[in-house]
């Protein structure tokens, strides 16, 4: 049994009631939060980001920007057939997803993680800047003031390249390559904990501004001028379903012992992430 769609009049009434409910709820919540902010301010200083999150401005601005971005679908010369319009809005939704993943979920320089936005094997993949569908693009946001350790297994993918860049996506000046190494030029090691593993297929790379002491096999330089930095990993497949990609992790060096716990999401992190994602 199928359910008949609501009539246009009923749908209009529902939308009208929901708009009224939203306006009243926002007014009540913001009044309550404003009083809470004033009370908190009497006891401790709230940052601009904390106030923006408490008042809902961070989320509102993100949603408003996302809504405004849809205007490109109405620009002169844009295709007007339903299929192309639907694909356009779907692409916009994927861009929003990519922005949230890159700037909100994968943007902790103390607990960095590789994020694969443009992944040719991913369901609902996204293309940004004419990327190669045979490539796996990964990146991690880092800070050049710290030292990082990258560990990985080579896999069987024909090409693997790892590099460091200064700057970040969307920032003034863009991204500038600082250092880069081809997998063929890495020094490998054996993993004695895995008796079934192929020998000589594991590697460790140190990321830092200054060259480490002797005994480090692989090192990639970080910029000494700009703290904002990024680790990039590029893999190119020949026959994707027959090849194993390299498995790579990144973590803060154990020498960085004075770092505060940043596992808890902060208002500043969310506020900056939503602004960058939009």
């Amino acid at each position: 049994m199928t359910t008949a769609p609501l009539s246009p009049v009923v749908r209009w009434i529902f939308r009208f009631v929901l708009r009224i409910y939203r306006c009243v709820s926002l007014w009540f919540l913001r009044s309550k939060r404003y009083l809470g902010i004033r009370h908190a301010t009497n006891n401790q200083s709230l940052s601009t980001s904390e106030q923006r999150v408490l008042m809902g401005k961070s989320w509102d601005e993100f949603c408003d920007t996302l809504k405004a971005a849809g205007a490109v679908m109405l620009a002169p010369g844009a295709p007007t057939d339903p299929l192309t319009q639907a694909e356009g809005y779907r692409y916009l939704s994927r861009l929003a997803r990519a922005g949230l993943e890159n700037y909100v979920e994968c943007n902790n320089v103390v607990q960095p993680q590789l994020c694969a936005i443009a992944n040719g094997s991913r369901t609902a993949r996204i293309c940004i800047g004419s990327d190669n569908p045979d490539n796996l693009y990964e990146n991690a946001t880092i800070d050049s003031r710290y030292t990082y350790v990258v560990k990985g297994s080579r896999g069987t993918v024909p090409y693997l390249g790892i590099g460091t860049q200064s700057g970040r996506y969307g920032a003034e000046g863009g991204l500038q390559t600082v250092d880069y190494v081809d997998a063929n030029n890495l020094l490998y090691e054996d993993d004695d904990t895995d008796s079934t593993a192929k020998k000589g297929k594991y590697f460790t790379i140190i990321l830092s501004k200054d060259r480490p002491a002797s005994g480090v096999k692989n090192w990639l330089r970080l910029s000494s001028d700009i703290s904002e930095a990024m680790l990039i990993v590029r893999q190119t497949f020949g026959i994707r379903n027959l090849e194993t990609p390299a498995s790579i992790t990144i973590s803060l060096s154990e020498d960085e012992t004075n770092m505060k716990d940043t596992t808890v999401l902060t208002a500043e992190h969310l506020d900056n992430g939503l602004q960058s994602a939009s």
Side-chain angles (χ1 to χ4, degrees):
M1 184 179 69
T2 60
T3 302
L6 298 176
S7 68
V9 174
V10 174
R11 291 173 64 88
W12 182 90
I13 293 174
F14 277 168
R15 288 198 301 267
F16 178 77
V17 172
L18 288 175
R19 288 195 193 101
I20 298 298
Y21 175 78
R22 180 178 183 273
C23 291
V24 173
S25 297
L26 286 174
W27 178 85
F28 176 77
L29 289 174
R30 287 177 176 174
S31 299
K32 183 178 179 181
R33 289 171 181 173
Y34 175 72
L35 294 175
I37 289 174
R38 292 190 63 185
H39 175 72
T41 305
N42 293 331
N43 298 281
Q44 61 180 354
S45 176
L46 292 179
S47 68
T48 301
S49 293
E50 289 173 330
Q51 295 182 42
R52 283 171 51 81
V53 170
L54 285 173
M55 297 296 289
K57 290 184 178 179
S58 298
W59 182 252
D60 283 351
E61 289 180 5
F62 171 76
C63 293
D64 289 343
T65 303
L66 181 61
K67 183 177 181 179
V72 71
M73 300 301 300
L74 306 175
T80 57
D81 63 281
L83 175 59
T84 306
Q85 284 281 312
E87 287 289 358
Y89 285 115
R90 180 164 70 170
Y91 182 67
L92 177 60
S93 71
R94 292 181 181 181
L95 287 175
R97 181 197 72 199
L100 292 173
E101 286 185 354
N102 194 63
Y103 294 111
V104 177
E105 302 297 341
C106 302
N107 198 31
N108 189 331
V109 299
V110 178
Q111 289 191 321
Q113 56 179 312
L114 286 166
C115 181
I117 296 175
N119 182 353
S121 64
R122 177 176 181 170
T123 302
R125 64 182 294 262
I126 182 173
C127 295
I128 306 175
S130 301
D131 52 279
N132 185 348
D134 292 322
N135 277 7
L136 171 58
Y137 300 90
E138 295 177 292
N139 61 271
T141 301
I142 56 178
D143 191 315
S144 64
R145 295 173 296 178
Y146 308 137
T147 298
Y148 298 90
V149 179
V150 176
K151 293 186 177 182
S153 59
R154 174 63 180 86
T156 62
V157 62
Y159 177 80
L160 169 64
I162 303 173
T164 56
Q165 296 181 324
S166 62
R168 66 181 178 89
Y169 288 125
E172 184 177 354
L175 291 166
Q176 302 294 326
T177 299
V178 177
D179 209 350
Y180 196 84
V181 63
D182 185 295
N184 293 327
N185 297 322
L186 287 173
L187 296 178
Y188 292 87
E189 57 201 35
D190 296 336
D191 184 1
D192 296 331
T193 64
D194 187 355
S195 60
T196 64
K198 293 183 179 180
K199 299 299 182 181
K201 291 301 181 182
Y202 294 86
F203 60 87
T204 299
I205 307 173
I206 301 299
L207 312 181
S208 62
K209 291 189 298 185
D210 303 315
R211 182 180 291 275
S214 59
V216 174
K217 292 184 177 181
N218 304 295
W219 171 60
L220 286 177
R221 182 172 59 88
L222 296 177
S223 173
S224 58
D225 301 323
I226 303 175
S227 62
E228 292 181 326
M230 184 173 293
L231 170 72
I232 61 168
V233 178
R234 300 291 181 262
Q235 304 187 53
T236 303
F237 295 84
I239 305 177
R240 188 181 288 264
N241 61 346
L242 299 180
E243 296 160 354
T244 303
S247 177
I248 300 173
T249 62
I250 178 174
S251 61
L252 204 64
S253 169
E254 293 181 358
D255 295 334
E256 306 284 358
T257 57
N258 297 322
M259 298 304 302
K260 64 180 181 180
D261 183 13
T262 58
T263 58
V264 179
L265 178 68
T266 64
E268 181 179 9
H269 180 96
L270 179 67
D271 186 34
N272 292 338
L274 290 176
Q275 289 185 64
S276 299
S278 58

